[in-house]
């Protein structure tokens, strides 16, 4: 399992907005200084806006802002907005049309469900504020 550039860039952009939360709207160009391509970044921030994680302000002093406090936005929210729900196996989610011939009788299914649920719980337990507060996780 590997996080795509979409998920990584989305997290970088959101962490940047969290760092600048008290400085007002941030322009696309200022966020792109993280070495993120402008057009791609605009798409990612559009997804974040649709997910209710960022808002936009129009005008000369406009830009992007977090829609919620950094303590209320988790890595799980961001990854879900960028990548969709994280599932290690299609069969780890009830009712998703798993084509496995073993279905519910598969001996490995409980392991995939446990791992998927554990990873998601961890992702949803780490907020942007936690990242800002942790010296080991700070990004400048």
């Amino acid at each position: 399992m590997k996080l795509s550039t979409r998920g990584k860039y989305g997290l970088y952009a959101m962490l940047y907005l969290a760092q600048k939360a008290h400085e007002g709207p941030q322009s696309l160009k200022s966020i792109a200084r993280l070495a993120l391509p402008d057009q791609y970044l605009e798409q990612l921030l559009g997804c974040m806006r649709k997910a209710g994680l960022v808002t936009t302000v129009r005008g000369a002093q406009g830009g992007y802002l977090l829609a919620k406090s950094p303590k209320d936005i988790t890595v799980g929210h961001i990854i879900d907005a960028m990548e969709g729900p994280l599932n290690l196996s299609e069969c780890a989610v009830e009712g998703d049309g798993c084509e496995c011939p073993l279905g519910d009788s598969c001996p490995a299914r409980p392991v995939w469900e446990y791992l998927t649920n554990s990873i998601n719980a961890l992702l949803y337990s780490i907020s942007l504020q936690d990242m800002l507060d942790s010296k080991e996780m700070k990004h400048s």
Side-chain angles (χ1 to χ4, degrees):
M1 177 179 83
K2 208 176 206 183
L3 191 60
S4 74
T5 55
R6 185 175 176 84
K8 287 188 239 180
Y9 287 176
L11 182 59
Y12 296 155
M14 293 296 285
L15 184 55
Y16 179 85
L17 290 175
Q19 290 171 327
K20 304 291 185 180
H22 300 293
E23 297 178 23
Q26 298 298 308
S27 70
L28 189 64
K29 289 203 181 290
S30 70
I31 302 167
R33 286 188 199 132
L34 298 170
L36 306 177
D38 286 14
Q39 289 181 331
Y40 191 42
L41 181 58
E42 195 166 21
Q43 290 175 11
L44 299 180
L45 290 168
C47 291
M48 296 291 186
R49 188 179 52 75
K50 287 178 189 168
L53 301 177
V54 298
T55 59
T56 56
V57 176
R58 296 183 183 264
Q61 300 300 314
Y64 295 88
L65 293 165
L66 293 180
K68 305 174 185 179
S69 167
K71 69 180 178 56
D72 296 324
I73 299 174
T74 66
V75 174
H77 292 121
I78 297 164
I79 299 302
D80 192 38
M82 294 292 88
E83 312 263 352
L86 174 69
N87 296 307
L88 295 181
S89 171
E90 296 84 16
C91 293
V93 178
E94 291 291 329
D96 70 344
C98 177
E99 299 294 325
C100 177
L102 297 175
D104 287 336
S105 65
C106 176
R109 184 175 183 161
V111 172
W112 298 129
E113 289 174 339
Y114 175 76
L115 290 171
T116 295
N117 292 338
S118 297
I119 291 169
N120 279 312
L122 181 60
L123 291 174
Y124 278 92
S125 74
I126 303 168
S127 71
L128 289 175
Q129 189 63 54
D130 294 332
M131 294 177 72
L132 292 174
D133 292 343
S134 173
K135 290 183 185 203
E136 296 170 3
M137 289 193 229
K138 276 196 178 171
H139 183 275
S140 50

